[in-house]
């Protein structure tokens, strides 16, 4: 039997998940709207002073992005679990980690990437400067995939459990703290005029580490959960 | 050649079966029998490697399936209670992706031929969610035609199928057995394959 | 073994509390309030150490499929969570007179809080899975992941903290009085013994619960009766 190359496998899986997401567009849009609403609520809560909002903006946008990505995690494996396709994925004669990685990437493209694209608009709402918006985008680009990957482990561990959504957040949020710190820190560094690159390179390091380990851990967690 | 020796399996605190021994050679058909809750599905899932047995081992051509891993997965096909097809995709896409992941390059003609054989002519490009339960089961069964796995593990393949489809299923199984395949299945409906003695394994 | 550990824990507690309240001299800078340190420091150190032990047991359970180590891991978790909570509580009580605030976003405080969250996550995951074997394995994976993450979290929090407020509030290196050291070590030992006792009791009930169908348990019940 001719074995597929890993790239081929990756692309089949990503394409499948993207097609599925496109045919269920409402879910994607819901996450995005959630993100926008959460960010927009903050000025209403703390008052409209431009200075304060400008200082708060990075933190607020990052926390909202974190919450939005938690919200969408439930969809990562549960649909496949319910209709049995996840079982079949476990039986694919290829590395499960690669399939998992593909699923995470596809998930990020439909849930993380829209947040990154939406962020500049929200940044304008908070009167951020062009330079800090630029850094915000780069930081989100580096950080949100890491959030998806850490979240995938949580989603795999809580597969099919009652109260899964809240449980995922409880498990995953503490682990996401470094991403939050460096992500928001990068933007704050621009505002306070200190070096941005150290934050960004730390974010990049986290991303590389997550990329190396989480698909494998998630695959292990899936096997445990399917038992 | 599949050999099972001294297999025991439990779910939670409940011991389902223990001391199970049997083997299956090419061209043989094995029906797993037992009342609801006797562990039929658990046995099949253990054979697929989803569940780690409490004791005992499962050998495929003399090697433990845990060590074989991908090599073993390349030679089996598992059809569970769930159809493992996506409602949002149509039958053609479902099968193409399934075969693609299993590592077979499929052109659409083969897939369409398989679907037609299962009586789904004209339904190939409809989203699966508009199909009936029986038709969905047929889509799932079409995967058997598209794979070159030698061991079929079928959990209740006949649910929701009509009389014609059951006959077709018997035909498919006997073809597979003639080609030196092996089949393990569970069912509560009569399924007789002509010319082959069905071996039976009863779980209590 | 349990009564032995329990007794020595009790003795150590009494001795430790005696030293810390009556023997140890009053601190020059912090007056009497520093005495909470005798509980706070041992509890904090142990809450971190228990997490490592728990993750170690969990890893053993996951890799070698030994059930006892998984049970040990799940027995340690509530103790660890309790100690982490106590450490935060006493830290707050100590912080009020010293720093003038119940809570400071100090690096160590924040990491301890996150540690508590990690414990709670472990316990919650274990509790929400019905099948004991899946629960053991899933939460073991989480514990290992957490222990890999702990240093990263710690450093990032520390870094974040220095970024925000410059030098954080620290105990400036006052050399400790001998009696203070003694009190501290005794209390440390006491908390240690307490943790061992409680975990052994808990693991015993977990074993009895899990093996309730095995023969030796019913024999044990007969004897007890």
């Amino acid at each position: 039997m001719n074995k597929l190359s890993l790239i081929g496998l990756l692309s089949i899986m990503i394409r499948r998940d993207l097609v599925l997401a496109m045919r269920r567009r409402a879910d994607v849009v819901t996450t995005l709207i959630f993100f926008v609403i959460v960010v927009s609520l903050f000025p209403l809560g703390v008052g409209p002073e431009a200075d304060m909002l400008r200082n708060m903006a990075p933190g607020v946008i990052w926390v909202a992005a974190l919450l939005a990505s938690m919200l969408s995690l439930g969809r990562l494996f549960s649909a496949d679990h319910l209709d049995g396709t996840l079982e079949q994925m476990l039986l694919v004669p290829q590395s499960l980690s690669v399939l998992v990685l593909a699923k995470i990437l596809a998930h990020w493209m439909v849930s993380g990437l829209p947040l990154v694209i939406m962020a500049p608009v929200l940044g304008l709402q908070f009167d951020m400067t062009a330079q800090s918006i630029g850094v915000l985008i780069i930081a989100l680009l580096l950080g949100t995939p890491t959030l998806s990957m850490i979240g995938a482990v949580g989603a795999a561990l809580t597969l099919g459990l009652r109260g899964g959504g809240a449980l995922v957040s409880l498990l995953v949020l503490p682990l996401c703290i470094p991403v939050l710190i460096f992500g928001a820190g990068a933007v704050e560094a621009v505002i306070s005029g200190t070096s941005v690159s150290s934050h960004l390179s730390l974010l990049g390091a986290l991303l590389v580490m997550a990329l190396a380990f989480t698909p494998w851990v998630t695959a292990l967690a899936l096997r445990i959960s399917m038992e | 050649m599949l050999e099972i020796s001294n297999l025991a399996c439990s779910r939670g605190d409940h011991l389902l079966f223990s001391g199970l021994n049997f083997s299956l050679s090419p061209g043989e058909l094995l029906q797993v029998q037992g009342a609801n809750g006797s562990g039929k599905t658990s046995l099949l899932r253990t054979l697929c490697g989803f569940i780690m047995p409490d004791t005992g081992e499962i050998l495929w051509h003399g090697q433990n399936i845990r060590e074989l891993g991908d090599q073993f997965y390349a030679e089996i096909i598992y059809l569970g209670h769930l159809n493992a097809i996506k409602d949002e995709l149509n039958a053609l896409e479902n099968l193409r992706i399934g075969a693609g992941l299993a590592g077979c390059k499929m052109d659409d003609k083969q897939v369409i031929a398989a679907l037609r054989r299962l009586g789904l002519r004209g339904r190939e490009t409809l989203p699966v969610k508009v199909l009936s339960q029986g038709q969905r089961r047929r889509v799932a069964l079409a995967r058997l035609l598209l794979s070159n796995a030698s061991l079929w593990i079928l959990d209740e393949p006949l649910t929701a199928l009509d009389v014609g489809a059951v006959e077709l299923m018997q035909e498919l199984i006997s073809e597979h057995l003639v080609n030196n395949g092996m089949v393990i299945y569970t069912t509560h409906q009569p399924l007789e394959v002509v010319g082959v003695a069905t071996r039976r394994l009863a779980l209590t | 073994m349990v009564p032995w550990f329990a007794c020595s824990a009790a003795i150590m507690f009494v001795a430790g509390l005696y030293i810390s309240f009556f023997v140890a001299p009053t601190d020059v800078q912090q007056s009497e309030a520093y005495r909470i340190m005798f509980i706070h420091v041992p509890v904090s150190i142990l809450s971190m150490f228990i997490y490592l032990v728990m993750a170690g047991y969990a890893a053993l359970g996951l890799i070698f499929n030994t059930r006892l180590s998984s049970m040990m891991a799940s027995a340690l978790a509530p103790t660890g969570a309790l100690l982490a909570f106590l450490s935060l509580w006493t830290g707050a009580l100590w912080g009020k007179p010293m720093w003038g605030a119940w809570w400071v976003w100090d690096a160590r405080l924040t990491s301890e809080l996150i540690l508590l969250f990690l414990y709670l996550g472990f316990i919650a995951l274990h509790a929400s899975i019905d099948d004991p074997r899946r629960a053991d394995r899933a939460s073991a994976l989480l514990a290992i992941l957490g222990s890999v993450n702990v240093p990263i979290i710690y450093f990032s929090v520390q870094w974040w903290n220095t970024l925000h407020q410059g030098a954080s509030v620290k105990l400036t290196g006052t050399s400790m009085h001998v009696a203070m050291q003694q009190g501290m070590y005794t209390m440390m030992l006491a908390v240690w013994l307490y943790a061992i006792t409680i975990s052994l009791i808990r693991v015993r009930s977990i074993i009895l619960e899990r093996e309730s169908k095995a023969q030796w348990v019913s024999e044990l019940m007969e004897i007890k009766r």
Side-chain angles (χ1 to χ4, degrees):
Chain A
M1 181 187 290
N2 57 330
K3 271 201 160 186
L4 269 177
S5 67
L6 292 183
I7 302 295
L9 196 68
L10 210 61
S11 77
I12 288 183
M13 202 63 205
I14 292 180
R15 243 181 299 158
R16 182 196 93 130
D17 275 17
L18 288 182
V19 168
L20 282 174
M22 282 307 109
R23 291 189 189 172
R24 254 185 309 200
R25 256 165 303 206
D27 290 350
V28 179
V29 179
T30 318
T31 314
L32 192 59
I33 293 177
F34 174 82
F35 176 60
V36 174
I37 288 182
V38 169
V39 174
S40 311
L41 281 181
F42 269 87
L44 300 179
V46 300
E49 291 89 2
D51 277 344
M52 186 169 66
L53 288 182
R54 203 178 305 127
N55 284 329
M56 277 177 48
V60 169
I61 291 178
W62 264 98
V63 170
L66 189 58
L67 292 180
S69 66
M70 289 302 111
L71 195 68
S72 60
L73 275 180
R75 291 200 306 273
L76 184 53
F77 296 115
S78 65
D80 287 346
H81 176 56
L82 286 179
D83 62 21
T85 32
L86 195 61
E87 275 181 349
Q88 296 297 334
M89 279 178 218
L90 261 57
L91 292 179
V92 165
Q94 298 271 5
S95 149
L96 181 60
S97 310
V98 176
L99 287 185
V100 167
L101 180 64
K103 280 195 75 68
I104 297 173
L105 287 178
H107 179 256
W108 176 75
M109 283 182 215
V110 296
S111 70
L113 199 55
L115 303 187
V116 180
I117 296 168
M118 203 62 198
V121 183
L122 296 172
L124 289 178
Q125 263 192 337
F126 280 72
D127 194 25
M128 288 168 74
T129 60
Q131 198 197 358
S132 43
I133 288 181
V135 174
L136 177 69
I137 293 176
I138 299 172
L140 281 172
L141 268 180
L142 286 171
T144 45
T146 318
L147 295 183
S148 295
M149 284 186 233
I150 299 175
V153 183
L157 282 175
T158 55
L159 197 61
L161 297 182
R162 58 200 132 79
L167 192 58
V168 171
S169 308
L170 180 60
L171 303 186
V172 171
L173 285 177
L175 301 178
C176 289
I177 287 170
V179 179
L180 178 67
I181 289 175
F182 296 128
V187 189
E188 268 164 29
V190 186
I191 297 173
S192 63
T194 47
S195 159
V196 179
S197 60
S198 59
H199 286 89
L200 291 182
S201 44
L202 279 167
L203 270 184
L206 287 177
L207 176 61
V208 170
M209 265 179 58
L211 204 57
F213 292 111
T214 51
W216 181 77
V217 176
T218 311
L220 192 62
L222 280 178
R223 288 206 191 276
I224 290 173
S225 293
M226 292 302 289
E227 190 171 288
Chain B
M1 176 84 176
L2 183 74
E3 293 163 281
I4 276 82
S5 58
N6 194 28
L7 200 69
C9 181
S10 58
R11 301 305 275 158
D13 289 338
H14 182 60
L15 184 71
L16 288 173
F17 51 80
S18 62
L20 203 62
N21 293 294
F22 66 88
S23 68
L24 197 67
S25 313
E28 286 189 320
L29 176 66
L30 179 76
Q31 181 184 2
V32 182
Q33 289 175 315
N36 295 129
S38 59
K40 298 187 294 295
T41 296
S42 292
L43 173 62
L44 296 193
R45 288 173 57 87
T46 310
L47 292 181
C48 291
F50 290 133
I51 303 177
M52 197 143 42
D54 290 357
T55 60
E57 46 184 16
I58 305 163
L59 302 180
W60 177 252
H61 296 305
Q63 271 182 292
N64 196 314
I65 60 163
R66 292 248 151 211
E67 288 154 24
L68 281 173
D70 291 350
Q71 273 172 288
F72 176 65
Y73 293 145
E75 303 214 30
I76 64 167
I77 186 163
Y78 169 72
L79 192 72
H81 280 277
L82 300 165
N83 288 328
I85 50 178
K86 284 276 166 200
D87 277 355
E88 290 83 1
L89 302 177
N90 62 39
L92 192 60
E93 288 166 324
N94 263 305
L95 290 173
R96 200 167 46 203
I97 291 168
L101 290 180
C104 314
K105 280 261 175 286
M106 277 297 145
D107 55 32
D108 287 359
K109 269 189 199 150
Q110 281 171 286
V111 181
I112 289 173
L115 283 170
R116 293 205 169 148
R117 171 120 198 245
L118 280 150
L120 292 168
R121 179 185 290 271
R123 307 278 193 285
E124 295 95 338
T125 53
L126 287 179
V128 171
K129 63 182 155 207
V130 304
L131 299 184
S132 75
Q133 283 301 326
Q135 285 172 323
R136 289 181 203 197
R137 197 65 179 161
R138 286 170 187 238
V139 175
L141 289 172
R143 279 184 30 230
L144 297 173
L145 284 176
L146 296 173
S147 100
N148 32 24
S150 56
L151 174 62
W152 289 5
I153 299 178
L154 312 175
D155 197 358
E156 298 285 349
L158 305 183
T159 40
L161 291 185
D162 58 23
V163 182
V166 172
E167 276 168 19
L168 182 66
M169 198 57 222
Q170 292 169 352
E171 216 177 289
L172 292 182
I173 291 180
S174 77
E175 276 175 29
H176 182 59
L177 294 176
V178 167
N179 292 329
N180 273 331
M182 298 170 234
V183 180
I184 299 181
Y185 69 98
T186 66
T187 183
H188 291 294
Q189 285 160 276
L191 178 74
E192 287 304 325
V193 179
V194 194
V196 184
T198 310
R199 295 172 47 203
R200 295 203 159 82
L201 176 77
L203 294 178
T204 49
Chain C
M1 216 151 72
V2 171
W4 196 85
F5 276 115
C7 287
S8 37
I11 294 169
M12 282 297 179
F13 262 124
V14 173
L17 287 176
Y18 176 76
I19 297 178
S20 31
F21 278 105
F22 300 110
V23 180
T26 306
D27 189 81
V28 189
Q29 294 174 337
Q30 309 195 356
S31 71
E32 300 295 338
Y34 87 97
R35 293 192 193 276
I36 202 158
M37 170 187 87
F38 290 115
I39 298 179
H40 177 71
V41 175
V43 162
S44 317
I45 292 179
L46 216 61
S47 67
M48 290 175 218
F49 185 70
I50 285 183
Y51 193 87
L52 287 181
V53 175
M54 184 181 89
Y57 269 124
L60 280 180
L62 191 63
I63 297 166
F64 299 110
N65 211 9
T66 46
R67 291 199 294 172
L68 190 60
S69 33
S70 309
M71 291 182 201
M72 201 62 207
S74 47
L76 280 170
T79 311
L82 178 72
L83 292 181
F85 177 72
L86 277 180
S87 146
L88 289 173
W89 187 260
T90 52
L93 287 179
W94 193 11
K96 184 62 184 165
M98 289 305 107
W99 303 333
W102 294 109
W103 184 262
V104 180
W105 286 99
D106 171 68
R108 278 183 293 175
L109 258 72
T110 316
S111 331
E112 189 73 30
L113 183 66
I114 295 167
L115 186 70
L116 178 62
F117 290 156
L118 290 178
Y119 273 124
L120 292 181
F122 181 92
I123 297 170
L125 182 65
H126 203 283
S128 58
I129 304 178
D130 292 327
D131 180 35
R133 191 160 68 166
R134 183 185 158 189
D136 280 344
R137 282 150 54 86
S139 43
L141 203 61
L142 185 73
I144 296 167
L145 198 70
S147 66
V148 172
N149 241 286
V150 161
I152 303 179
I153 293 176
Y154 182 76
F155 284 117
S156 58
V157 169
Q158 202 168 35
W159 209 59
W160 160 78
N161 181 260
T162 48
L163 202 78
H164 273 248
Q165 359 171 288
S168 62
V169 196
K170 273 186 188 140
L171 274 177
T172 38
T174 42
S175 58
M176 258 200 247
H177 192 275
V178 185
M180 283 190 201
Q181 282 185 10
Q182 283 171 352
M184 182 88 94
Y185 291 140
T186 326
M187 283 307 282
M188 184 90 82
L189 214 57
V191 177
W192 202 280
L193 288 169
Y194 162 79
I196 295 177
T197 315
I198 276 301
S199 316
L200 283 181
I201 293 174
R202 203 172 281 123
V203 84
R204 193 166 62 179
S205 54
I206 292 176
I207 293 173
L208 285 177
E209 196 184 320
R210 294 267 185 94
E211 306 280 318
S212 52
K213 282 180 46 197
Q215 203 172 359
W216 66 267
V217 177
S218 45
E219 279 167 10
L220 195 72
M221 300 299 261
E222 297 284 312
I223 296 167
K224 285 260 166 89
R225 234 176 260 153

